[in-house]
Amino acid sequence: MLGNPNADNPFATSDPFGPSRVDPVADDFDNVDFGNNTQQNASGLYNGQDSTDGFVPAVAPKKAKANRSTKDLEKREKELDKREKALAAREAKLATSGRGAVGGADISRKNWPRCRPTVRHHIGEDVPPNRQRLVRLGYFAWLLMFVGFCWNWIVVLIMFCAAHKKLSDWLFASLICGFGLPLSFFLWYFNLYKGAIRDSSFRWWWYFLWAALQPILCGWIAIAPPVVGNWCAGGFTMINQFRDGHGAGYTFGIFCAINLAIWALAGFCGVSATSLAMKTFRGTQQNLGGDIQMAAPARQIPYEV
């Protein structure tokens, strides 16, 4: 051993640049069972060489996993693009066919009024479910106004025939009824209906403008002030008819009391609908502002893989 110091050294070779006679790392790697998949991946990395010929880098499984993740992401991205194109095509088809976003309703089909369809009006199909209560309340208030306009005109006509009203009172009541019915629907209620569907600020503000006049009109007809309210069959007219103290006066007084109740209820429902519409409009604006604030910093965040 003193003569040849490398005699008992198993790692010593005559060629310092040649392969070592014993590779303990490769021997230990051969004794570990990594499964067929690991050996096949290792073989692929060394171009068909067996995994026992050398040390398999530990990064190989990570690279294979990264490749699989990349392929999965690409596959999912293609699926999302395909779904997006299909959704865009469906929206374009719905837009061209005139169908709405709520329940696929045909918004181009006019169905109201039934006797002569002029506009599209279907709360259950067109209005979002969370706003149907608001629209139904406004529609109920307009129906009360419709009944009130007609009842006021009928009562004033009867009183004119019984010489309890002047011709000018009946003519003015006819004018108010003829213009009040369509204007109250299209300027007041229909803006609420369209605003709840499209969430349009223009529709909301236009509705609020006429909603401020609706309780004034209801109170005017319900009270029927003297001189300026002679065309109305309201409170003061009711008092005057009861003062007469005969059968026709009591009958007209009851008619006026019914008219007063109709318009008072219509004004109350209209104010309630306006209050609920204000809450809905404010909630929409707050949600829109929150979305803008959340979207602004999101554009500053870089995309990381």
Side-chain angles (χ1 to χ4, degrees), residues 1-264:
M1 294 180 62
L2 295 175
N4 188 4
N6 298 328
D8 296 333
N9 187 359
F11 300 95
T13 58
S14 59
D15 186 2
F17 299 100
S20 59
R21 183 172 57 84
V22 179
D23 192 349
V25 178
D27 292 341
D28 293 338
F29 187 79
D30 292 339
N31 294 330
V32 180
D33 184 11
F34 290 95
N36 296 329
N37 295 333
T38 305
Q39 292 181 1
Q40 292 176 0
N41 293 335
S43 300
L45 292 174
Y46 288 96
N47 298 325
Q49 297 181 1
D50 187 72
S51 60
T52 58
D53 294 339
F55 176 73
V56 179
V59 76
K62 293 184 178 180
K63 289 184 178 180
K65 184 177 180 180
N67 292 333
R68 288 195 300 268
S69 300
T70 303
K71 292 180 180 179
D72 293 341
L73 289 175
E74 292 178 354
K75 183 179 179 181
R76 187 173 182 181
E77 185 177 358
K78 290 180 180 179
E79 292 179 355
L80 292 176
D81 292 339
K82 186 177 179 180
R83 292 181 180 179
E84 185 177 359
K85 291 179 180 179
L87 181 60
R90 184 179 179 183
E91 290 179 352
K93 184 178 179 180
L94 292 176
T96 54
S97 62
R99 293 187 174 273
V102 181
D106 187 1
I107 61 176
S108 64
R109 184 174 60 87
K110 298 178 181 180
N111 63 341
W112 193 94
R114 293 184 179 181
C115 58
R116 185 179 177 84
T118 306
V119 296
R120 167 69 184 181
H121 182 267
H122 199 299
I123 299 175
E125 293 182 357
D126 301 342
V127 182
N130 60 334
R131 296 179 180 178
Q132 289 185 6
R133 177 173 173 269
L134 164 63
V135 179
R136 292 185 188 279
L137 181 60
Y139 186 56
F140 179 70
W142 182 82
L143 288 177
L144 288 174
M145 293 179 65
F146 173 82
V147 175
F149 278 122
C150 297
W151 181 251
N152 182 77
W153 181 82
I154 293 173
V155 173
V156 174
L157 175 62
I158 295 175
M159 293 180 69
F160 166 69
C161 295
H164 286 252
K165 286 289 184 180
K166 298 179 181 180
L167 177 62
S168 59
D169 298 335
W170 176 75
L171 291 177
F172 202 78
S174 302
L175 186 67
I176 294 297
C177 181
F179 284 94
L181 283 174
L183 292 179
S184 62
F185 181 83
F186 289 102
L187 295 180
W188 178 65
Y189 167 72
F190 209 58
N191 280 304
L192 173 65
Y193 181 78
K194 290 295 185 181
I197 295 175
R198 303 177 181 177
D199 207 11
S200 172
S201 297
F202 173 78
R203 291 286 186 175
W204 283 117
W205 285 111
W206 197 242
Y207 162 74
F208 291 139
L209 174 64
W210 294 103
L213 301 178
Q214 189 264 350
I216 297 177
L217 176 63
C218 293
W220 191 287
I221 301 178
I223 297 173
V227 181
V228 294
N230 289 337
W231 56 273
C232 306
F236 280 94
T237 306
M238 176 188 67
I239 294 174
N240 294 331
Q241 295 301 317
F242 281 133
R243 283 178 179 176
D244 291 344
H246 54 81
Y250 286 123
T251 302
F252 293 148
I254 294 174
F255 289 167
C256 293
I258 295 175
N259 193 45
L260 188 152
I262 293 173
W263 283 100

